[in-house]
Amino acid sequence: FLGLLLRLDNSNGQLSGQVFPEGVTIVTYTVTDAVNLSAICQFTITVEDMTPPVAICQNATVQLDANGMASITAADINNNSSDACGIATLSVSPGNFTCANVGDNTVTLTVTDVNNNSATCTATVTVNALSLGNLVYHDMNRNGFFDAGDTGVNGVVCHLYEDDGDGVLDAGDGEPLASFTTTTLQSQTGAYQF
């Protein structure tokens, strides 16, 4: 029986049990015997990110504008979504709302990481209609503003009309679109809201 002394060298420093970085790593091992004869073994380790991001949503509320439109961005719905390698993009669908969407709407957030893995979550976007409201009150100091000492008046019927374009309430405006009797809203007497 002849004993040989062998020496094993790893030329790029990767050791058993070591974590490899994402991408391609070439590992080279050289074995040398006692008389200085050597052989080389080389192999490739490829580490790919196949793990999708963690998509986390939050609900949102939007108010329609005077044109009956509202919109959200992905940032409005995103609630600290994450990915170990980094997030590349966030998108939300739908992102635009009209009068037809007043109430609760389900939207989808898509989170895509830097390696094109993606995940989704859903959230509720509550769309509130534009409202019109104010107060009917006794202007005690006759300054035209509701301030200290003025009191709201409940029981007054307020009508909402669509102007025919002349800027004057007249027969051309037709029947009221809505009516509201003043009442106490949020602790304020004399309030109305359409």
Side-chain angles (χ1 to χ4, degrees):
F1 176 81
L2 180 63
L4 293 176
L5 178 62
L6 297 176
R7 188 178 82 234
L8 183 62
D9 294 318
N10 175 355
S11 65
N12 66 349
Q14 298 292 341
L15 303 174
S16 175
Q18 187 169 359
V19 176
F20 289 85
E22 183 180 354
V24 176
T25 301
I26 298 172
V27 178
T28 304
Y29 281 97
T30 305
V31 64
T32 306
D33 66 13
V35 292
N36 223 21
L37 296 174
S38 62
I40 295 175
C41 173
Q42 197 173 57
F43 58 94
T44 301
I45 296 180
T46 303
V47 177
E48 295 180 347
D49 174 18
M50 304 299 284
T51 304
V54 177
I56 305 171
C57 285
Q58 63 186 356
N59 297 333
T61 300
V62 293
Q63 176 80 40
L64 293 176
D65 63 17
N67 296 315
M69 305 290 292
S71 63
I72 59 168
T73 65
D76 297 324
I77 302 303
N78 183 38
N79 190 18
N80 296 316
S81 298
S82 62
D83 185 81
C85 295
I87 294 175
T89 62
L90 298 169
S91 63
V92 66
S93 179
N96 295 311
F97 305 95
T98 67
C99 295
N101 304 112
V102 170
D104 290 343
N105 300 269
T106 300
V107 299
T108 301
L109 175 70
T110 301
V111 181
T112 304
D113 71 14
V114 295
N115 293 301
N116 213 31
N117 299 304
S118 63
T120 61
C121 59
T122 59
T124 300
V125 173
T126 303
V127 177
N128 292 327
L130 184 64
S131 63
L132 174 66
N134 210 327
L135 301 174
V136 174
Y137 59 93
H138 291 290
D139 187 7
M140 304 304 275
N141 61 4
R142 298 175 189 243
N143 67 353
F145 299 100
F146 182 77
D147 46 28
D150 294 343
T151 56
V153 180
N154 286 343
V156 177
V157 178
C158 299
H159 300 288
L160 178 65
Y161 291 88
E162 182 175 1
D163 184 37
D164 61 2
D166 63 5
V168 177
L169 178 61
D170 56 24
D173 298 330
E175 294 296 314
L177 299 174
S179 296
F180 191 93
T181 302
T182 59
T183 187
T184 302
L185 296 174
Q186 298 176 355
S187 302
Q188 178 58 61
T189 59
Y192 65 90
Q193 186 170 1
F194 294 100

